[in-house]
Amino acid sequence: MLVIMLLAGCGNNSAADNGARNGAAQVNAAAATPSPSPEEEPEATEAPAAQAYPLVVQDELGHEVTLNAAPTKVFAPYMEDSLVVLGVKPVGQWSNKGQGQGYLQDQLGDVPLVDFTNGQLPSPEVVMSLQPDFIVLHNSYYAENGVYEQYSKIAPTYVFQQAAGDLDSSVTKLGELLGKQEEAAKGLADYRKKVEEAKTALAPHIQGKKALVIRFNSRGMFLMGGVYGGFVLAEELGITKSDLVAAENSVDLSLEVLPQIDADYIFLANDTANTGETFYKELTESALWKSIPAVQAGRVYDVDDRYWLGGGIVAYSNVIDDVLEIIVP
């Protein structure tokens, strides 16, 4: 399933209250302390400017999108992760076989589920029943086969090429569109801080090592490259990809390929509801699998597909937590 996903950035602090409470002390200090030269003056940190509406933008497929006011009823399937970071509750949420993104349900449990099983997009009638005033499609695939033309008649519709591939850009843009720039900046800043701290902790343990994510679903098993959890491993944490996916986002896996696996760490993600259980057993019970060095070394880990196959700051943060727990003693 082609999906997803989402990122966000830097918060701001104000010293105004402290300045008011300590005004007298500052006056006394000023008399005894020379003023800094212009070169020494610290730069002021400004909060992102409030978004002005009407807003006319061009989406990543070249469509002109006009928002007359800040949207309040948003439908952005598989971008719920980013909406949560921005403090926005959507009018409907992506689901597969009656299940939404499990790691977000503590915040989205009362949001209606919209079925995307087998990659099938909901009909215009279903989307219209949600009464959205803004629709966001997280990748260009979702806009194909006339879907954009149908959805854009319901509400202004913005399309990303692949939101999950560049969270900094997509979360920032979503924040701009929804008038949530400050929330986007803070979410991204907190996430970037977490990434840098994780890279520091992992550095002594991952030098010269490679990692690989294997995904299982009802259609088969696949080696994952630079998407979802694979994106976090390679692009965020700096763990080298397996050569098998060095230039690919997804590669079909067969038992014949197993002797070529060169990863030191292997992460297994079985799709929600264990729809790939047959293929999981076929792989892990095979003699070829048991001969792989990482398997023999005990460096194979079952991970939670709900966020390892998700895209967004919340999902990626959860992946980072797992990797730290697994790799760092």
Side-chain angles (χ1 to χ4, degrees):
M1 165 112 216
L2 295 168
V3 279
I4 0 154
M5 318 204 334
L6 26 8
L7 285 167
C10 180
N12 304 288
N13 294 314
S14 170
D17 290 340
N18 288 337
R21 287 192 295 269
N22 301 317
Q26 291 173 351
V27 170
N28 292 336
T33 306
S35 298
S37 65
E39 301 83 42
E40 298 170 329
E41 289 284 358
E43 290 186 9
T45 301
E46 295 184 4
Q51 187 59 274
Y53 297 90
L55 176 65
V56 180
V57 297
Q58 190 174 76
D59 74 10
E60 295 186 0
L61 296 190
H63 307 120
E64 184 176 283
V65 182
T66 301
L67 297 172
N68 292 318
T72 59
K73 301 174 67 177
V74 181
F75 179 52
Y78 223 78
M79 291 193 75
E80 292 86 0
D81 189 307
S82 293
L83 294 180
V84 164
V85 170
L86 299 180
V88 175
K89 182 169 285 191
V91 294
Q93 63 172 313
W94 175 96
S95 72
N96 181 38
K97 298 184 183 300
Q99 297 187 48
Q101 292 167 281
Y103 69 101
L104 298 174
Q105 294 312 297
D106 58 335
Q107 299 180 71
L108 301 180
D110 59 345
V111 175
L113 300 172
V114 181
D115 188 33
F116 281 76
T117 300
N118 297 324
Q120 297 297 313
L121 274 68
S123 68
E125 291 75 17
V126 169
V127 175
M128 187 179 298
S129 70
L130 301 172
Q131 300 181 328
D133 59 12
F134 187 39
I135 300 171
V136 183
L137 302 181
H138 85 282
N139 68 36
S140 58
Y141 166 77
Y142 273 13
E144 293 177 357
N145 301 317
V147 170
Y148 174 82
E149 288 74 16
Q150 294 174 325
Y151 284 10
S152 61
K153 292 177 181 177
I154 300 170
T157 301
Y158 186 98
V159 186
F160 286 96
Q161 283 282 1
Q162 178 52 274
D166 185 351
L167 280 185
D168 288 292
S169 175
S170 62
V171 172
T172 298
K173 175 54 69 175
L174 194 60
E176 292 173 358
L177 295 169
L178 301 180
K180 297 286 185 178
Q181 296 97 315
E182 289 190 29
E183 291 86 346
K186 183 181 186 306
L188 282 169
D190 291 345
Y191 174 69
R192 283 290 149 224
K193 182 173 183 285
K194 181 168 190 167
V195 169
E196 293 308 313
E197 290 174 347
K199 288 170 69 175
T200 299
L202 287 166
H205 308 284
I206 63 173
Q207 188 171 4
K209 298 291 195 295
K210 296 180 181 179
L212 179 64
V213 179
I214 301 178
R215 174 183 186 176
F216 304 86
N217 61 27
S218 60
R219 297 184 297 278
M221 46 192 176
F222 312 88
L223 306 177
M224 306 303 295
V227 293
Y228 310 139
F231 172 84
V232 179
L233 294 173
E235 305 302 330
E236 302 289 57
L237 300 179
I239 306 175
T240 305
K241 298 179 190 176
S242 165
D243 290 347
L244 293 172
V245 289
E248 301 288 344
N249 283 334
S250 179
V251 175
D252 290 350
L253 175 61
S254 63
L255 297 182
E256 291 75 18
V257 175
L258 294 181
Q260 301 176 45
I261 289 181
D262 56 351
D264 300 280
Y265 300 101
I266 301 175
F267 302 93
L268 307 181
N270 193 353
D271 272 10
T272 301
N274 293 323
T275 59
E277 191 65 20
T278 298
F279 295 103
Y280 179 94
K281 289 183 177 179
E282 177 187 353
L283 178 72
T284 57
E285 293 176 2
S286 72
L288 283 173
W289 171 256
K290 295 174 183 177
S291 70
I292 296 173
V295 177
Q296 295 180 339
R299 291 181 173 173
V300 178
Y301 310 95
D302 290 303
V303 294
D304 193 328
D305 71 287
R306 294 175 298 176
Y307 49 85
W308 273 77
L309 301 179
I313 289 176
V314 181
Y316 290 177
S317 293
N318 290 343
V319 171
I320 291 172
D321 289 340
D322 285 356
V323 173
L324 288 172
E325 182 177 347
I326 288 169
I327 295 180
V328 179

